[in-house]
Amino acid sequence: MSIFDNIGGNLLDLFMNYERREDTASMAQRAEVDEKDFGKIIALGLPILLQAINRNNNDTQGLASFSQALDQHQDVKQYNSFGELVNKVDTNDGDRILGHVFDDQQGIFERIATTLGVTPGAVKRVLMLLAPIVLKYLADRKQTNRLDNAGVQKETGNIAEQMARSVREYGQNSGNNNSASDALGNIFDGLTQGQSNNTVDKKDGFLDSILDFFR
């Protein structure tokens, strides 16, 4: 039995589901941001993180290294709940993960921050909490489904695409009655009006591809 069994395969629900608001509030407090900013950063940061992982996995060496990293994060079953995992997330581990995943960490933090109207420091603190949870989720998928490297690559690609679709659905769905979904709606409205066009460096194509889902 995994702590991720009840999320229906949608990683975004871990952070956007109103029933888990206590857990996300705890994460926001640890990251020293309010819940609304936390929701906004997760909304862009999660698909960007997964897309970056997916991009790195297109290289044979990068895929092998990532698959090995998942093996090192297969302690997920030692946790009794998602809340327990949240409270024990190692931010130093998260910092190391971000360093491996992003070629230009600071540039990514600044682009997300500028788009969302938050500080780069806030973006980094949230993503340092998010990254280990993402790897534990993927490690659990690898172990449960007995995936080889090719299977890991396919699974990560599918989840990255799913995240981008889910974020857009959350942003458009006015029926989601909580601060995170309200914030997503505001982000979606702003980006569809072209407010972010001058804030994103077009050299980062994978970041652009995520932002495209909000246009």
Side-chain angles (χ1 to χ4, degrees):
M1 183 74 175
S2 166
I3 60 173
F4 299 117
D5 284 346
N6 297 322
I7 67 169
N10 190 336
L11 185 56
L12 189 65
D13 282 343
L14 280 173
F15 307 101
M16 297 301 177
N17 192 321
Y18 186 79
E19 294 178 358
R20 295 186 176 87
R21 187 170 183 178
E22 183 177 344
D23 296 329
T24 55
S26 176
M27 288 186 69
Q29 185 176 22
R30 285 193 63 184
E32 300 176 8
V33 298
D34 64 35
E35 289 183 55
K36 185 168 288 188
D37 284 345
F38 176 83
K40 292 191 295 184
I41 294 168
I42 289 290
L44 280 185
L46 180 57
I48 287 170
L49 177 61
L50 284 163
Q51 184 66 20
I53 291 171
N54 188 45
R55 180 195 61 177
N56 292 345
N57 285 350
N58 288 329
D59 173 79
T60 302
Q61 184 176 355
L63 176 60
S65 177
F66 180 71
S67 186
Q68 184 178 14
L70 293 185
D71 293 338
Q72 296 169 356
H73 284 80
Q74 284 183 351
D75 61 346
V76 66
K77 295 184 186 298
Q78 77 180 38
Y79 300 101
N80 295 316
S81 67
F82 179 64
E84 183 180 356
L85 172 59
V86 164
N87 289 328
K88 293 183 177 180
V89 168
D90 182 355
T91 54
N92 290 326
D93 183 36
D95 196 22
R96 287 190 295 269
I97 293 168
L98 296 176
H100 286 296
V101 171
F102 294 132
D103 293 332
D104 178 16
Q105 279 192 76
Q106 192 59 33
I108 295 296
F109 299 155
E110 289 175 358
R111 290 178 178 87
I112 295 174
T114 300
T115 300
L116 300 181
V118 298
T119 67
V123 173
K124 180 176 181 178
R125 291 192 300 272
V126 171
L127 294 187
M128 285 195 303
L129 287 169
L130 176 65
I133 294 174
V134 170
L135 255 67
K136 289 184 185 299
Y137 174 79
L138 294 172
D140 186 66
R141 302 280 284 193
K142 178 184 179 181
Q143 186 176 53
T144 300
N145 298 318
R146 299 180 180 180
L147 301 177
D148 58 12
N149 286 3
V152 167
Q153 183 180 36
K154 182 177 181 180
E155 183 78 359
T156 305
N158 289 341
I159 292 172
E161 292 178 5
Q162 181 190 59
M163 287 307 96
R165 288 195 302 269
S166 295
V167 167
R168 184 170 185 174
E169 289 169 4
Y170 268 95
Q172 291 176 315
N173 186 357
S174 59
N176 285 322
N177 238 349
N178 60 66
S179 60
S181 59
D182 289 345
L184 281 172
N186 292 336
I187 297 168
F188 183 83
D189 290 343
L191 290 176
T192 52
Q193 293 167 15
Q195 292 178 6
S196 69
N197 289 347
N198 294 325
T199 66
V200 179
D201 188 338
K202 297 301 180 180
K203 292 185 292 184
D204 283 285
F206 81 94
L207 178 57
D208 298 337
S209 70
I210 296 300
L211 294 176
D212 282 343
F213 281 91
F214 292 87
R215 296 192 176 104

